[in-house]
Amino acid sequence: LDPRNVLNTKLFDYEKAAQSPGWIKELSGEHTPETEEYGITSFVYRRDRPFHPERFSACIQSEWPGVVRSKGFFWLASRSRLAGSWSQAGGSCRSEPAGYWAARAEDGSLISSETAPVKGKQELVVIGIDMKRERLTSMLDHCLLTDEELALGEEGWKDFIDPFSPWSV
């Protein structure tokens, strides 16, 4: 589009626009937010337990009914010291490393995540139309390590099948 076709054309008539029903409703406070008009909702999925890499990979390749956008950070057990970045819009999905999880000493100061016990987390924002939040939450919860898997610790988690492509930080 050539900007000259729309900018400085002097075709916009403020007086005429101010008389349109939509403009009048907006000015009088009768606006219906798009969230209500189109049924758009969102929620944040938060958990303090790592995902099993194989189950999470299968989950993100499955259908997420009603979801149009999701993004955030995730924690894979097989890559326990690295934070994963997740971004999905429509059918386009991307996961990649976001960096190392920050480790903190008891006094709150940052310490090396190379040697300290690391505590990652799941924090994914899910946005959609007529989503089934409980179903989506259950799908993601199924990806979390079980108590038995969690008990294996970082050394045991390295043996999990990990279908994600290699990450370098």
Side-chain angles (χ1 to χ4, degrees):
L1 177 68
D2 185 344
R4 291 176 291 192
N5 292 334
V6 292
L7 298 176
N8 298 319
T9 61
K10 305 205 185 336
L11 295 174
F12 179 75
D13 182 342
Y14 179 84
E15 295 299 323
K16 185 176 178 182
Q19 299 305 313
S20 73
W23 188 295
I24 293 169
K25 281 185 175 182
E26 190 70 34
L27 291 175
S28 65
E30 296 177 36
H31 172 75
T32 302
E34 288 77 9
T35 53
E36 291 178 24
E37 187 173 350
Y38 301 107
I40 299 170
T41 59
S42 66
F43 70 94
V44 180
Y45 176 84
R46 288 186 177 99
R47 297 292 187 269
D48 291 327
R49 187 176 282 228
F51 284 140
H52 187 288
E54 195 170 28
R55 290 195 298 270
F56 185 57
S57 175
C59 180
I60 62 177
Q61 293 177 48
S62 68
E63 184 179 349
W64 290 24
V67 175
V68 294
R69 178 87 166 99
S70 62
K71 60 185 177 175
F73 297 102
F74 65 97
W75 181 21
L76 286 181
S78 53
R79 303 167 191 215
S80 62
R81 297 193 175 270
L82 292 174
S85 173
W86 169 252
S87 177
Q88 170 268 323
S92 176
C93 306
R94 185 175 70 214
S95 63
E96 59 191 7
Y100 290 97
W101 292 109
R104 295 201 177 269
E106 286 185 26
D107 65 2
S109 62
L110 287 175
I111 55 178
S112 170
S113 63
E114 296 295 320
T115 56
V118 172
K119 184 77 169 158
K121 63 181 177 178
Q122 314 300 349
E123 190 164 285
L124 302 171
V125 177
V126 184
I127 305 162
I129 300 170
D130 300 324
M131 293 184 299
K132 305 291 187 236
R133 179 179 178 164
E134 297 78 20
R135 179 176 177 204
L136 293 162
T137 298
S138 177
M139 285 171 53
L140 291 166
D141 281 348
H142 176 71
C143 301
L144 297 170
L145 294 188
T146 64
D147 290 342
E148 294 78 24
E149 292 166 334
L150 192 62
L152 296 173
E154 284 185 72
E155 283 305 311
W157 302 345
K158 291 177 185 175
D159 294 333
F160 293 154
I161 294 172
D162 184 338
F164 287 84
S165 56
W167 289 353
S168 61
V169 178

